[in-house]
Amino acid sequence: MAVINLSSVRIPALVRNLNDMRVSGSLTDARLHVNGVTFPVHRNVLAAGSPYFAAMFTKGLQEARREDISIYGVGQDAMAHVLDFIYTGKVSLTSDCFETVQDLVQASDLLQVVDLHRACEEWLVPRVIPANCVSLYFLARSYNCQELVQAARWTLVSDFTDVGKRSEFLDLELSQVIELVSDDYLGVDEGLDVFETVVRWVQHNGAGGEVVAKLMKHVRNNPMRSLCSRQKILKHQVLGDCPTATQLCNTADQVQGGLNDAADVLSNPQSLGFTPPLKLGTRRSDAIVSVCKDRDSEDLQLYETRTKTKYRLPKPYTASGFSSIVSQDNKLYIAGGLRKNLAVKDLGTNIKLYACAHFYVYDGLHNKWWMKASMHVSRFDFALASVGSHVYAIGGKPHPHGKALSDVERYNPEENTWHRMAQLPNGSNGHHAVTIESNIYVLCGFDSPRSKDVFCYQTLTNTWTNVAPMPAIKRIAGATVFCEKIYTILSSWKNSSWKPTTMAIYDPETDRWEQDEQFVPEEVEVVEGPVAGEDRLYLCCTRGLYVLRPTGVPCPLDQWSLYDKNVVPRSGQASVYCIKGYVHIGGLSTITY
């Protein structure tokens, strides 16, 4: 049977004509009234696009017999956007549309326009930042946006100290504050961060003693000794009539006086009616992340040093030549890389490769990667560096046959935006970047066109300078910063392969390099690292995982301590990073040795 199929032409034309008729008021059979504004509509179109309107017009309700219908709980602008979406599947938004999308979440939930509700949630998720995470968390909770709940909650707990200083938090109701400060996974080093946030909220709202007492019972007390050492803060005037605070002050006096019964309180803070310590703030542990950059299908691996357990951490997207970094505020990011375009064939490789500009951050609370704003420049084989919470993308290549880039850009998580910065003195790829205080050092190495060069970027002045070059033209196996010095492992070309041989240490105060060319024993063939933890260096080699508390002088690997013989380097080009004081591994599958 022959079929004449013009649906690809007729359906868009039908949609366009129906919307034109709505706008002109032609053949409409109902009028929606929202806050004094009238919207002519077609009942059948609304019923087809919304179960809410379908029930209104087909279930015997009064509105089914009326031409004029009042809609409550929806703003006029939101109603206009909802109708645009029902008729056309599109919503036109201005650049400053954040509040509009939040209103659309509420309207689409009420009117049961599921596709619009989902689209609004997807639009909001990558735009969650500390400045809006509180309002988005409670919005998502109210309107069943589960993914937005997770994104907002992770931002809230991981940046709680920052979030607690913002007006969004200070304007919350008491019950909302209690819910947030009671979260088991607040990303704070000690209970004082939560305590000071509570005091700030109390001062802002002029709360009385009963309110303070309720809040104080939810302030995490770990570490209790730190709280006790801050007796002056605890005796702040806003806590003067709070029995809970008075008890804690008395405990502080006992600790300072060395009384024995204070120790009992410290070991059992629940005796004062306090909430137990943070589940995940009571222990400090390093997590070493191993990243294979040259195999696009390989997962990341995460090794938790306290339990000596290895986990598999899936990447957010498939790519090779990507870059990763653990920022100074302890967040794991992945960016860029080469991806395969299977739809386009290349005569040389049969697969078209292209560089991407993706940028993701890992949420260990929910074991998810959250997409953030893409970089301005698509790139691979580049370096990431971090100063504070900012992340810098440095150099790289735009495509496999392209020249090395000198482009530098900075990501600001407060705004979820990238900003172009001063360019590298010369294009570079295959390099390493590390941070000392506010300065970023770029180590070029053999894989870079600049070989021995080392560049220093002063973030405070947005300028680049050259510093002392590396001791020799060698491949860099890894680089890290410990005690304000750069530690790096260099590999030499021996017997048709790269073999790690030398540890080199750079001191920025003297602008000099020291090196130990006999650092790596002959039988060690592969090295990953070094990487700095809380108070030690880690180095992974074919013998296992080694640790060292450096003295500042290069010492042979044989003088390091073997920490775990079961942790060995992965094949291929790998890099390692350290999440210091890592506190949560949620839902990751373990790797057996």
Side-chain angles (χ1 to χ4, degrees):
M1 181 178 66
V3 176
I4 298 176
N5 185 357
L6 297 178
S7 59
S8 61
V9 177
R10 291 298 302 158
I11 292 177
L14 179 62
V15 169
R16 185 169 55 252
N17 292 337
L18 281 171
N19 189 53
D20 290 343
M21 294 170 68
R22 172 181 70 96
V23 173
S24 64
S26 177
L27 298 180
T28 57
D29 54 2
R31 291 180 293 273
L32 303 182
H33 298 280
V34 181
N35 295 337
V37 178
T38 300
F39 298 93
V41 294
H42 304 89
R43 295 174 189 266
N44 55 351
V45 176
L46 264 59
S50 161
Y52 176 91
F53 286 114
M56 176 184 289
F57 298 140
T58 63
K59 300 299 182 181
L61 301 179
Q62 293 181 357
E63 288 82 357
R65 299 183 296 274
R66 294 177 179 173
E67 289 189 7
D68 293 285
I69 303 167
S70 296
I71 302 294
Y72 301 99
V74 177
Q76 61 192 53
D77 292 337
M79 189 74 244
H81 287 308
V82 168
L83 292 176
D84 285 343
F85 186 84
I86 289 176
Y87 273 82
T88 68
K90 297 186 295 184
V91 175
S92 298
L93 300 171
T94 62
S95 57
D96 185 20
C97 60
F98 197 84
E99 292 185 2
T100 301
V101 177
Q102 293 184 75
D103 292 340
L104 280 177
V105 169
Q106 303 176 45
S108 59
D109 181 76
L110 172 66
L111 301 176
Q112 300 175 26
V113 186
V114 177
D115 290 343
L116 178 58
H117 189 265
R118 186 182 302 113
C120 290
E121 181 180 13
E122 292 175 355
W123 189 91
L124 287 169
V125 164
R127 291 169 173 81
V128 176
I129 57 176
N132 62 33
C133 64
V134 173
S135 61
L136 289 181
Y137 173 73
F138 287 107
L139 174 79
R141 281 266 308 274
S142 300
Y143 296 101
N144 195 32
C145 301
Q146 294 305 313
E147 190 167 85
L148 184 58
V149 167
Q150 292 182 346
R153 183 187 174 209
W154 175 74
T155 303
L156 196 156
V157 300
S158 61
D159 295 300
F160 183 76
T161 302
D162 179 24
V163 170
K165 299 175 183 177
R166 298 177 179 273
S167 59
E168 268 203 343
F169 181 88
L170 297 176
D171 292 336
L172 290 176
E173 300 293 332
L174 173 62
S175 60
Q176 294 173 318
V177 175
I178 289 177
E179 177 183 343
L180 297 185
V181 301
S182 301
D183 197 301
D184 288 333
Y185 302 103
L186 289 181
V188 294
D189 289 335
E190 54 184 56
L192 276 174
D193 293 328
V194 183
F195 175 82
E196 291 170 348
T197 299
V198 167
V199 170
R200 196 177 299 113
W201 181 88
V202 169
Q203 291 176 310
H204 178 79
N205 291 277
E210 290 186 7
V211 171
V212 175
K214 289 181 180 179
L215 278 173
M216 283 296 296
K217 289 184 179 295
H218 295 276
V219 174
R220 304 294 182 168
N221 54 72
N222 178 66
M224 191 72 170
R225 293 187 185 276
S226 295
L227 282 173
C228 293
S229 68
R230 298 294 295 274
Q231 185 177 350
K232 290 184 179 179
I233 293 180
L234 294 174
K235 289 183 176 179
H236 193 282
Q237 59 181 358
V238 301
L239 306 177
D241 55 352
C242 173
T244 306
T246 302
Q247 287 178 301
L248 191 53
C249 286
N250 292 336
T251 303
D253 293 335
Q254 292 172 349
V255 171
Q256 291 173 351
L259 299 180
N260 293 331
D261 55 349
D264 295 333
V265 175
L266 291 175
S267 61
N268 184 26
Q270 293 92 322
S271 64
L272 289 181
F274 297 128
T275 305
L278 289 170
K279 284 185 178 180
L280 302 175
T282 56
R283 65 175 188 265
R284 302 289 291 175
S285 178
D286 295 330
I288 300 173
V289 181
S290 174
V291 180
C292 280
K293 298 183 177 181
D294 56 350
R295 295 198 299 277
D296 55 8
S297 61
E298 192 81 10
D299 289 337
L300 281 66
Q301 290 186 4
L302 188 149
Y303 175 78
E304 208 271 324
T305 59
R306 188 182 66 87
T307 61
K308 295 186 177 181
T309 305
K310 189 182 291 186
Y311 299 87
R312 181 173 288 105
L313 178 58
K315 291 187 301 191
Y317 58 93
T318 301
S320 61
F322 60 91
S323 289
S324 52
I325 187 71
V326 174
S327 62
Q328 289 188 334
D329 63 343
N330 228 27
K331 293 184 174 66
L332 174 62
Y333 292 94
I334 279 184
L338 273 179
R339 307 201 69 189
K340 297 177 181 178
N341 187 346
L342 301 180
V344 180
K345 300 297 183 181
D346 181 75
L347 294 178
T349 62
N350 203 36
I351 296 176
K352 183 70 173 181
L353 297 175
Y354 67 96
C356 68
H358 296 330
F359 188 63
Y360 283 77
V361 62
Y362 180 64
D363 169 6
L365 180 60
H366 303 101
N367 187 26
K368 299 183 75 168
W369 291 92
W370 299 113
M371 178 186 289
K372 294 299 180 180
S374 296
M375 298 180 290
H376 292 300
V377 178
S378 297
R379 60 180 92 200
F380 74 101
D381 201 21
F382 64 104
L384 290 176
S386 169
V387 177
S389 61
H390 291 172
V391 177
Y392 292 77
I394 304 169
K397 297 181 74 174
H399 53 82
H401 306 295
K403 293 183 179 180
L405 296 168
S406 57
D407 298 75
V408 178
E409 49 188 309
R410 182 189 68 193
Y411 175 74
N412 182 357
E414 296 286 325
E415 305 169 352
N416 188 35
T417 54
W418 288 89
H419 302 274
R420 295 183 183 272
M421 311 304 290
Q423 292 190 331
L424 275 164
N426 300 95
S428 185
N429 65 282
H431 49 284
H432 292 252
V434 294
T435 301
I436 299 179
E437 295 181 345
S438 61
N439 296 331
I440 297 173
Y441 292 83
V442 173
L443 287 64
C444 293
F446 179 85
D447 292 326
S448 168
R450 303 303 302 177
S451 303
K452 295 172 61 175
D453 284 356
V454 179
F455 303 117
C456 177
Y457 175 66
Q458 291 88 25
T459 61
L460 299 180
T461 59
N462 191 30
T463 55
W464 289 90
T465 57
N466 285 74
V467 297
M470 297 178 65
I473 300 177
K474 296 183 178 182
R475 171 171 284 179
I476 302 173
T480 193
V481 170
F482 192 83
C483 297
E484 307 303 319
K485 294 181 180 180
I486 299 174
Y487 288 74
T488 182
I489 301 294
L490 305 179
S491 297
S492 302
W493 184 256
K494 291 185 177 182
N495 300 324
S496 302
S497 65
W498 288 101
K499 186 180 184 305
T501 57
T502 305
M503 169 171 274
I505 301 177
Y506 174 75
D507 186 346
E509 287 193 3
T510 61
D511 192 28
R512 294 183 59 184
W513 287 88
E514 296 180 74
Q515 61 177 329
D516 178 2
E517 295 185 349
Q518 306 300 320
F519 171 77
V520 182
E522 283 290 331
E523 64 272 18
V524 174
E525 297 181 355
V526 181
V527 166
E528 289 181 8
V531 62
E534 280 284 331
D535 58 353
R536 65 193 68 186
L537 285 176
Y538 296 95
L539 185 70
C540 185
C541 68
T542 46
R543 288 180 173 180
L545 180 66
Y546 283 77
V547 296
L548 175 72
R549 289 182 173 87
T551 60
V553 179
C555 61
L557 181 61
D558 289 335
Q559 296 182 21
W560 291 43
S561 300
L562 179 61
Y563 187 77
D564 190 339
K565 66 179 181 180
N566 294 313
V567 179
V568 296
R570 305 160 75 184
S571 60
Q573 183 183 356
S575 298
V576 290
Y577 307 91
C578 189
I579 306 178
K580 301 174 184 178
Y582 193 73
V583 292
H584 187 63
I585 301 170
L588 296 181
S589 58
T590 58
I591 300 174
T592 56
Y593 297 113

